[in-house]
Amino acid sequence: MRPAVPLRVWYLLGGRLPMRHREWVFRQATKPTWLAWFTARMFLQVLPLTVVIALALVLGLGSPVPLAIACGSLGLVVGVYFGVSYAIESTDHRMTKYGYPAGAAAAVRKERTARDQERYERVWRSSENGS
């Protein structure tokens, strides 16, 4: 069951969806673009803290605006990088909260990758033999 738009926005911002949407969450975590969505979700979760830090630097400490923006941007990049570094583990942990076994999402993605690789090799070998 696909959640309504406000719930999907809530999910992108890091919120948890009701259990009735568990299959949709699992599909999101296993589809080919899962990492792009994970990165967008991580960006949206780190962005508010980055803005708060930049504003605190400018308003609280009197830092120059370009310096505050640079510091905030660096924090954003590091935060997203750190989050994406643990994307597989984080996603699998999130799936356990929806009742799926540990490693289920990674297993589905790995199986799809193996099928895609097999199909690629079949096509590649057939084109080599045809030449």
Side-chain angles (χ1 to χ4, degrees):
M1 172 188 227
R2 187 176 185 179
V5 173
L7 280 176
R8 283 184 282 177
V9 171
W10 170 246
Y11 180 73
L12 270 176
L13 294 174
R16 185 166 178 199
L17 296 180
M19 287 301 281
R20 68 179 180 271
H21 299 296
R22 70 188 291 266
E23 292 167 8
W24 181 85
V25 171
F26 191 77
R27 279 195 310 274
Q28 291 297 105
T30 57
K31 65 184 186 177
T33 58
W34 77 274
L35 189 56
W37 283 105
F38 182 91
T39 304
R41 192 171 192 249
M42 187 59 50
F43 178 84
L44 291 173
Q45 290 176 29
V46 175
L47 184 62
L49 181 60
T50 302
V51 171
V52 167
I53 290 171
L55 287 174
L57 286 171
V58 171
L59 301 176
L61 297 175
S63 296
V65 173
L67 178 63
I69 291 172
C71 290
S73 299
L74 181 60
L76 182 65
V77 169
V78 170
V80 171
Y81 177 80
F82 181 78
V84 172
S85 295
Y86 293 96
I88 293 170
E89 295 84 356
S90 178
T91 301
D92 280 338
H93 178 68
R94 189 170 357 115
M95 294 306 103
T96 61
K97 291 179 181 180
Y98 285 96
Y100 290 98
V108 168
R109 290 190 303 266
K110 188 174 183 178
E111 181 182 313
R112 186 189 63 242
T113 300
R115 278 194 321 267
D116 291 348
Q117 181 68 26
E118 182 181 307
R119 188 177 66 230
Y120 170 80
E121 288 178 11
R122 257 195 334 267
V123 169
W124 179 255
R125 288 187 180 137
S126 70
S127 67
E128 281 182 339
N129 294 336
S131 298

Coordinates of all heavy atoms in Angstrom, one line a residue, residues 98-128:
Y98 N 10.5 -2.9 10.6 CA 9.3 -3.2 10.0 C 9.0 -4.7 10.0 O 8.1 -5.2 9.2 CB 9.3 -2.7 8.6 CG 9.1 -1.2 8.5 CD1 10.2 -0.3 8.5 CD2 7.8 -0.6 8.6 CE1 10.0 1.0 8.5 CE2 7.7 0.8 8.6 CZ 8.8 1.6 8.5 OH 8.6 3.0 8.5
G99 N 9.8 -5.5 10.7 CA 9.5 -6.9 10.9 C 10.2 -7.8 9.9 O 9.9 -9.0 9.9
Y100 N 11.1 -7.3 9.1 CA 11.8 -8.2 8.1 C 13.0 -8.7 8.8 O 13.6 -8.1 9.7 CB 12.2 -7.4 6.9 CG 11.0 -7.0 6.0 CD1 10.4 -5.7 6.1 CD2 10.4 -7.9 5.1 CE1 9.3 -5.4 5.4 CE2 9.3 -7.6 4.4 CZ 8.8 -6.3 4.5 OH 7.7 -6.0 3.7
P101 N 13.5 -9.9 8.4 CA 14.7 -10.5 8.9 C 15.9 -9.6 8.6 O 16.0 -8.9 7.6 CB 14.8 -11.8 8.3 CG 13.7 -12.0 7.4 CD 12.9 -10.8 7.4
A102 N 16.9 -9.6 9.5 CA 18.2 -8.9 9.3 C 18.8 -9.3 8.0 O 18.9 -10.5 7.7 CB 19.1 -9.1 10.5
G103 N 19.2 -8.4 7.2 CA 19.8 -8.6 5.9 C 18.9 -8.9 4.8 O 19.4 -9.2 3.6
A104 N 17.6 -8.9 5.0 CA 16.6 -9.2 3.9 C 16.8 -8.3 2.7 O 16.8 -8.7 1.5 CB 15.2 -9.2 4.4
A105 N 16.8 -7.0 2.9 CA 16.9 -6.0 1.8 C 18.2 -6.2 1.1 O 18.2 -6.2 -0.2 CB 16.8 -4.6 2.4
A106 N 19.3 -6.4 1.8 CA 20.6 -6.6 1.1 C 20.6 -7.8 0.3 O 21.1 -7.9 -0.8 CB 21.7 -6.6 2.1
A107 N 19.9 -8.9 0.8 CA 19.9 -10.2 0.0 C 19.1 -10.0 -1.3 O 19.5 -10.5 -2.3 CB 19.2 -11.2 0.9
V108 N 18.0 -9.2 -1.2 CA 17.2 -9.0 -2.4 C 18.0 -8.2 -3.4 O 18.0 -8.5 -4.6 CB 15.8 -8.3 -2.1 CG1 15.1 -7.8 -3.3 CG2 14.9 -9.2 -1.3
R109 N 18.7 -7.2 -3.0 CA 19.5 -6.4 -3.9 C 20.6 -7.2 -4.5 O 20.9 -7.1 -5.7 CB 20.0 -5.1 -3.2 CG 19.0 -4.1 -2.8 CD 19.6 -2.8 -2.4 NE 20.5 -3.0 -1.2 CZ 20.1 -2.8 0.1 NH1 18.8 -2.5 0.3 NH2 20.9 -3.0 1.0
K110 N 21.2 -8.0 -3.7 CA 22.3 -8.9 -4.2 C 21.8 -9.9 -5.2 O 22.5 -10.1 -6.2 CB 23.0 -9.6 -3.0 CG 24.2 -10.4 -3.3 CD 24.8 -11.0 -2.1 CE 26.1 -11.7 -2.4 NZ 26.8 -12.2 -1.2
E111 N 20.7 -10.5 -5.0 CA 20.1 -11.4 -5.9 C 19.8 -10.7 -7.3 O 20.0 -11.2 -8.3 CB 18.8 -12.0 -5.3 CG 18.1 -13.0 -6.2 CD 16.8 -13.5 -5.6 OE1 16.8 -13.8 -4.4 OE2 15.8 -13.5 -6.3
R112 N 19.2 -9.5 -7.2 CA 18.9 -8.7 -8.4 C 20.2 -8.4 -9.2 O 20.3 -8.5 -10.4 CB 18.2 -7.4 -8.1 CG 17.7 -6.7 -9.4 CD 17.2 -5.3 -9.1 NE 18.2 -4.5 -8.6 CZ 18.1 -3.9 -7.4 NH1 17.0 -4.1 -6.6 NH2 19.0 -3.1 -6.9
T113 N 21.3 -8.1 -8.4 CA 22.5 -7.8 -9.1 C 23.1 -9.0 -9.8 O 23.6 -8.9 -10.9 CB 23.5 -7.2 -8.0 OG1 23.0 -6.1 -7.4 CG2 24.9 -6.9 -8.6
A114 N 23.0 -10.1 -9.1 CA 23.5 -11.4 -9.8 C 22.7 -11.7 -11.0 O 23.3 -12.1 -12.0 CB 23.3 -12.5 -8.8
R115 N 21.4 -11.5 -11.0 CA 20.5 -11.7 -12.2 C 20.9 -10.8 -13.3 O 21.1 -11.2 -14.5 CB 19.0 -11.6 -11.9 CG 18.4 -12.7 -11.3 CD 16.8 -12.6 -11.3 NE 16.4 -11.3 -11.0 CZ 16.0 -10.8 -9.8 NH1 16.1 -11.6 -8.8 NH2 15.5 -9.6 -9.7
D116 N 21.1 -9.5 -12.9 CA 21.5 -8.5 -14.0 C 22.9 -8.9 -14.5 O 23.1 -8.7 -15.8 CB 21.6 -7.1 -13.3 CG 20.2 -6.6 -13.0 OD1 19.2 -7.2 -13.4 OD2 20.1 -5.6 -12.3
Q117 N 23.8 -9.3 -13.7 CA 25.2 -9.7 -14.2 C 25.1 -10.9 -15.1 O 25.7 -10.9 -16.1 CB 26.1 -10.0 -13.0 CG 27.5 -10.3 -13.3 CD 28.3 -9.2 -13.9 OE1 28.0 -8.0 -13.7 NE2 29.2 -9.5 -14.8
E118 N 24.3 -11.8 -14.7 CA 24.1 -13.0 -15.6 C 23.5 -12.7 -16.9 O 24.0 -13.1 -18.0 CB 23.2 -14.0 -14.8 CG 23.0 -15.3 -15.6 CD 22.0 -16.2 -14.8 OE1 22.3 -16.5 -13.6 OE2 21.0 -16.7 -15.4
R119 N 22.5 -11.8 -16.9 CA 21.9 -11.4 -18.2 C 22.9 -10.6 -19.0 O 23.0 -10.8 -20.2 CB 20.7 -10.5 -17.9 CG 19.9 -10.2 -19.1 CD 18.6 -9.4 -18.8 NE 18.9 -8.1 -18.3 CZ 18.4 -7.6 -17.2 NH1 17.5 -8.3 -16.5 NH2 18.8 -6.4 -16.8
Y120 N 23.7 -9.7 -18.4 CA 24.7 -9.0 -19.1 C 25.7 -9.9 -19.8 O 26.1 -9.7 -20.9 CB 25.4 -8.0 -18.1 CG 26.7 -7.4 -18.7 CD1 26.6 -6.3 -19.5 CD2 27.9 -7.9 -18.4 CE1 27.7 -5.7 -20.1 CE2 29.0 -7.3 -18.9 CZ 28.9 -6.2 -19.8 OH 30.0 -5.6 -20.3
E121 N 26.2 -10.9 -19.0 CA 27.2 -11.8 -19.5 C 26.6 -12.7 -20.7 O 27.3 -12.9 -21.7 CB 27.7 -12.7 -18.4 CG 28.6 -12.0 -17.5 CD 29.2 -12.8 -16.3 OE1 29.0 -14.1 -16.4 OE2 29.7 -12.2 -15.4
R122 N 25.3 -13.1 -20.6 CA 24.7 -13.8 -21.7 C 24.7 -13.0 -22.9 O 25.0 -13.4 -24.0 CB 23.3 -14.2 -21.3 CG 23.1 -15.6 -20.9 CD 21.6 -16.0 -20.9 NE 20.6 -15.0 -20.7 CZ 20.1 -14.7 -19.5 NH1 20.6 -15.3 -18.4 NH2 19.2 -13.7 -19.4
V123 N 24.3 -11.7 -22.8 CA 24.2 -10.8 -24.0 C 25.6 -10.6 -24.5 O 25.8 -10.6 -25.7 CB 23.5 -9.5 -23.6 CG1 23.7 -8.5 -24.7 CG2 22.0 -9.7 -23.3
W124 N 26.6 -10.3 -23.6 CA 27.9 -10.0 -24.1 C 28.6 -11.2 -24.8 O 29.2 -11.1 -25.8 CB 28.8 -9.7 -22.8 CG 30.2 -9.4 -23.2 CD1 31.3 -10.2 -22.9 CD2 30.7 -8.2 -23.8 NE1 32.4 -9.6 -23.4 CE2 32.1 -8.4 -23.9 CE3 30.2 -7.0 -24.3 CZ2 32.9 -7.4 -24.5 CZ3 31.0 -6.1 -24.9 CH2 32.3 -6.3 -25.0
R125 N 28.4 -12.4 -24.2 CA 28.9 -13.6 -24.9 C 28.3 -13.9 -26.2 O 28.9 -14.3 -27.1 CB 28.8 -14.8 -23.9 CG 29.8 -14.7 -22.8 CD 29.8 -16.0 -22.0 NE 30.7 -15.8 -20.9 CZ 30.5 -16.1 -19.6 NH1 29.4 -16.7 -19.3 NH2 31.4 -16.0 -18.7
S126 N 27.0 -13.7 -26.3 CA 26.3 -13.9 -27.6 C 26.7 -12.9 -28.6 O 26.8 -13.3 -29.8 CB 24.8 -13.9 -27.4 OG 24.3 -12.6 -27.1
S127 N 27.0 -11.7 -28.2 CA 27.5 -10.7 -29.2 C 29.0 -11.1 -29.6 O 29.3 -10.8 -30.8 CB 27.4 -9.3 -28.7 OG 28.3 -9.1 -27.6
E128 N 29.8 -11.6 -28.7 CA 31.1 -12.0 -29.1 C 31.1 -13.2 -30.1 O 31.9 -13.3 -31.0 CB 31.9 -12.5 -27.8 CG 32.4 -11.3 -27.0 CD 33.2 -11.8 -25.9 OE1 33.1 -13.0 -25.4 OE2 34.0 -11.0 -25.3

